[in-house]
Amino acid sequence: MRLLEVLVWTLLAFLGAGAMRAFRPAPLSNDSYQYLNVAEHFRHDHQLATSLVHFDSERYHGRIPAPLTTFPPGYPVVVAITSLSGDLEDAARSLSCVCYAGTAALLAWALILTGVAPFLRSFTLLVFVTNAVALQFATAVMTESLYMLLSTGALVGLIWAEQSASHKRVIAWVVIALSAAGLAYWVRYAGLFLIAALVGYAFFRLPLPGSRFRTEFLLSTLVPVMFAGSLMLRNLVTAGNWKGGNEMLVQHPVKGVLAGYARAQLHLILGQHAESDGVLEGLLLLGGLAVTALLIIGVRKGRLPIIDWRWMGDLRRPGAVALMVGLCVLVYSAGIFYAGLRTVISFGTRMFLPMLPLYLLPLGIGVNWLTSRWP
């Protein structure tokens, strides 16, 4: 039944993405043309290069095609490899659909592993598969869906690893999961924040008595570090610095970035709409306040136990899963916020789309925890 449930939600997500692709596909952006151009070069002459020399880091080389360093090369490489029919745009859109459906499968599996009740699982997954922003990027020639799959897969792989009693199987799954985190950096440089969060979590759980295979987990974090290091080395050799030549420093006002962050979260949850009367936003705020109030009242009345930090490293416990995922969201959000302050990234909703499954998983765990203890 578990497998059937995962398959059903995977199919629903794929059908939703397929319908969007057929009737309202996302338009090609400037970044999309860059990715397709790099995929074309990789398929024909195995170069990680672009003929659309737009950014200073590529223009610096003084030749066309120029080595690509402004963007990581992982996404166009996958597009080139999967373009069996020869149509790169079709392959890229199909890849986004498959990755979106795969993320739905991973979220369903994570909710099952953490013991979330069937009704809450269905509601949480319905929120994901009907999310307007996720559906839009499920048809786009962009990195979002692939990065979301890899980042979600890394965390779900770690949760699944702890379910096994076999030491070898646990280590194998941990290495696979952390490899996904390392590959995420090859798709988007923001993957560095995910790697930093997982390394930080490995150090956090090291002294906790309830943690299993603590030392092995910490040592395994060298895997994504090596993945990231290899790309940094390529950038250093090719462009002269580990960031790929992206050295332009800017200073955006904190107030403006905070407003952009708030809008991005709002649009991610409610869709890309213009804030007019504020009714939906008010309802969302009231819902959040209601859940917070229930938590506070429950703890004060003794219905909800105070967190036992000794077991917060055991990923067989839903609370530990929520903590790990929450740490990843916190570190990623802080990193993106800093990048919004000091770099030229397009700070907006798409930067936080890969975090949507990581928002929904602890939310499902938390609501399940509340409903199981509240009379």
Side-chain angles (χ1 to χ4, degrees):
M1 288 298 294
R2 287 181 171 185
L3 180 60
L4 178 61
E5 182 179 351
V6 173
L7 290 175
V8 166
W9 284 107
T10 305
L11 180 61
L12 286 174
F14 186 78
L15 290 175
M20 284 291 291
R21 182 183 171 191
F23 298 106
R24 197 176 179 181
L28 295 175
S29 66
N30 290 336
D31 290 354
S32 301
Y33 289 111
Q34 280 281 0
Y35 293 132
L36 292 174
N37 185 262
V38 176
E40 182 75 22
H41 279 289
F42 184 79
R43 187 173 63 178
H44 287 294
D45 49 28
H46 306 293
Q47 289 189 67
L48 299 176
T50 177
S51 298
L52 304 178
V53 179
H54 177 70
F55 299 100
D56 290 340
S57 52
E58 279 80 37
R59 190 177 294 112
Y60 161 80
H61 297 285
R63 60 186 175 88
I64 298 178
L68 177 77
T69 55
T70 297
F71 302 126
Y75 175 71
V77 167
V78 176
V79 170
I81 292 173
T82 56
S83 60
L84 302 177
S85 66
D87 188 334
L88 288 170
E89 182 183 343
D90 181 69
R93 294 189 187 276
S94 298
L95 176 65
S96 292
C97 288
V98 170
C99 290
Y100 169 70
T103 304
L106 289 170
L107 180 58
W109 187 236
L111 290 166
I112 291 171
L113 290 176
T114 51
V116 175
F119 173 76
L120 288 174
R121 286 203 302 265
S122 298
F123 179 77
T124 305
L125 287 162
L126 183 64
V127 170
F128 177 75
V129 300
T130 58
N131 182 270
V133 179
L135 279 169
Q136 176 189 2
F137 280 96
T139 68
V141 183
M142 299 289 282
T143 61
E144 275 68 24
S145 291
L146 179 57
Y147 180 80
M148 182 166 61
L149 176 72
L150 290 170
S151 55
T152 306
L155 299 186
V156 177
L158 293 174
I159 298 168
W160 172 241
E162 295 260 348
Q163 308 296 317
S164 176
S166 168
H167 181 271
K168 291 183 179 179
R169 185 173 295 178
V170 169
I171 300 305
W173 272 108
V174 166
V175 170
I176 292 171
L178 293 174
S179 296
L183 289 171
Y185 181 72
W186 277 77
V187 174
R188 284 177 63 169
Y189 287 133
L192 184 63
F193 304 137
L194 176 65
I195 295 172
L198 291 175
V199 172
Y201 178 73
F203 277 104
F204 167 79
R205 76 198 299 267
L206 192 61
L208 301 180
S211 304
R212 303 171 69 215
F213 313 116
R214 291 168 286 178
T215 305
E216 293 91 333
F217 187 99
L218 179 60
L219 291 175
S220 297
T221 58
L222 290 173
V223 174
V225 170
M226 287 190 291
F227 271 103
S230 62
L231 183 54
M232 290 177 184
L233 181 61
R234 174 186 178 268
N235 287 344
L236 183 63
V237 172
T238 305
N241 69 68
W242 65 272
K243 294 183 289 185
N246 304 306
E247 293 184 296
M248 181 183 295
L249 289 179
V250 297
Q251 184 63 59
H252 293 121
V254 174
K255 183 178 179 180
V257 178
L258 276 173
Y261 175 82
R263 281 194 300 270
Q265 307 312 308
L266 192 65
H267 290 162
L268 178 60
I269 297 170
L270 299 177
Q272 301 268 22
H273 69 285
E275 300 94 337
S276 52
D277 53 17
V279 173
L280 290 175
E281 292 81 357
L283 290 174
L284 181 65
L285 177 61
L286 288 175
L289 291 175
V291 172
T292 304
L294 286 175
L295 281 170
I296 294 173
I297 295 171
V299 170
R300 293 192 64 174
K301 289 188 174 183
R303 288 174 179 158
L304 302 178
I306 302 298
I307 295 174
D308 187 348
W309 291 100
R310 294 175 300 172
W311 300 102
M312 285 295 101
D314 186 355
L315 292 177
R316 292 171 296 180
R317 296 173 178 258
V321 172
L323 177 69
M324 178 185 69
V325 175
L327 177 64
C328 290
V329 170
L330 179 64
V331 173
Y332 179 89
S333 299
I336 292 293
F337 187 84
Y338 175 79
L341 285 173
R342 301 302 302 273
T343 71
V344 294
I345 66 167
S346 54
F347 189 81
T349 306
R350 61 183 286 257
M351 289 293 151
F352 296 95
L353 173 61
M355 293 292 103
L356 179 61
L358 307 190
Y359 289 166
L360 295 175
L361 178 56
L363 178 63
I365 293 172
V367 175
N368 185 70
W369 188 50
L370 276 173
T371 55
S372 66
R373 287 166 171 80
W374 204 267

